[in-house]
Amino acid sequence: MPEEKLLLLSCCAPCSCGVIQKLAAQGRKFTVLFYNPNIDGETEYQKRLAENKRVCARFGVPFAQLPYEPQVWRQAVKGLEGEPERGKRCSVCFELRLRRAARYAKEHGFTAFSSVLGISRHKDLDQVNAAAQQAAQQEDIPYDLTNWRKGGTEQLRSALIKEMQIYNQTYCGCVYSRRTVKDEKSA
């Protein structure tokens, strides 16, 4: 049986830092993948990319990235602009990113893939896992369903954000999520 080699899809450093530290401390063989075509704006994308790289460097974890393809994301969610957070648009977004991560994992010799897309309380973990299972089936590679919200990861994540002064955004990255946050703040 081949040695386990996990690919971890990261949406941002705040969501992934606790998981990265935990897996590194356990001596697990894994690589962090950054594929987030949903992030609105090159400046925001570059901030999140840099912070992910910084966290990986801190814990000696390999880092990989796929091209920034906002046009691919916009095409995928076309017609779903009015959907609420946790609605169909989010499912399509998760499926797009997880399918690409699964394909990357298979192409690069990983034995499984996972993600931190469902770690935020603003996201629906069951929705993420359903998209991940579909991607795993389509690409024929196992998805690690670990619930990264448990086992002290939230406390570890909060401590690392503070200690490392990690850029901690208030929305998932897409233009629609940012609008929702702005609407909530002005209400």
Side-chain angles (χ1 to χ4, degrees), residues 135-186:
Q137 191 172 39
Q138 288 171 345
E139 298 298 330
D140 192 30
I141 186 164
Y143 182 76
D144 179 335
L145 283 165
T146 299
N147 182 344
W148 302 112
R149 293 178 181 178
K150 296 190 174 194
T153 308
E154 181 59 33
Q155 294 82 359
L156 179 58
R157 170 188 167 310
S158 295
L160 285 168
I161 290 168
K162 188 175 181 178
E163 174 193 329
M164 292 181 68
Q165 298 181 325
I166 295 171
Y167 167 62
N168 193 11
Q169 64 285 336
T170 58
Y171 64 103
C172 79
C174 85
V175 65
Y176 309 111
S177 172
R178 187 174 66 217
R179 284 183 193 154
T180 300
V181 168
K182 281 182 182 176
D183 291 346
E184 288 171 358
K185 285 182 178 177
S186 60

Side-chain angles (χ1 to χ4, degrees), residues 60-91:
V61 173
F63 180 85
Q65 73 184 83
L66 292 171
Y68 178 46
E69 303 172 315
Q71 69 285 357
V72 170
W73 181 82
R74 281 192 298 273
Q75 184 60 41
V77 300
K78 191 173 184 172
L80 302 172
E81 296 86 353
E83 284 285 313
E85 283 297 297
R86 296 179 170 213
K88 182 149 177 62
R89 183 185 62 248
C90 291
S91 290

Side-chain angles (χ1 to χ4, degrees), residues 3-10 16-33 55-56 59-64 110-114 116 144 148:
E3 179 183 23
E4 179 203 42
K5 188 176 167 194
L6 181 71
L7 181 70
L8 180 69
L9 178 61
S10 173
S16 63
C17 63
V19 176
I20 291 169
Q21 185 190 37
K22 199 174 224 184
L23 290 173
Q26 293 170 355
R28 302 262 308 263
K29 297 255 187 222
F30 74 105
T31 296
V32 171
L33 176 67
V55 168
C56 286
F59 297 107
V61 173
F63 180 85
F110 290 89
T111 56
F113 75 110
S114 191
V116 297
D144 179 335
W148 302 112

Side-chain angles (χ1 to χ4, degrees), residues 105-138:
K106 183 123 187 209
E107 290 170 353
H108 291 85
F110 290 89
T111 56
F113 75 110
S114 191
S115 81
V116 297
L117 298 183
I119 203 165
S120 167
R121 69 187 192 297
H122 299 291
K123 298 299 175 195
D124 180 342
L125 183 58
D126 291 334
Q127 185 181 31
V128 171
N129 286 341
Q133 292 290 54
Q134 186 174 5
Q137 191 172 39
Q138 288 171 345

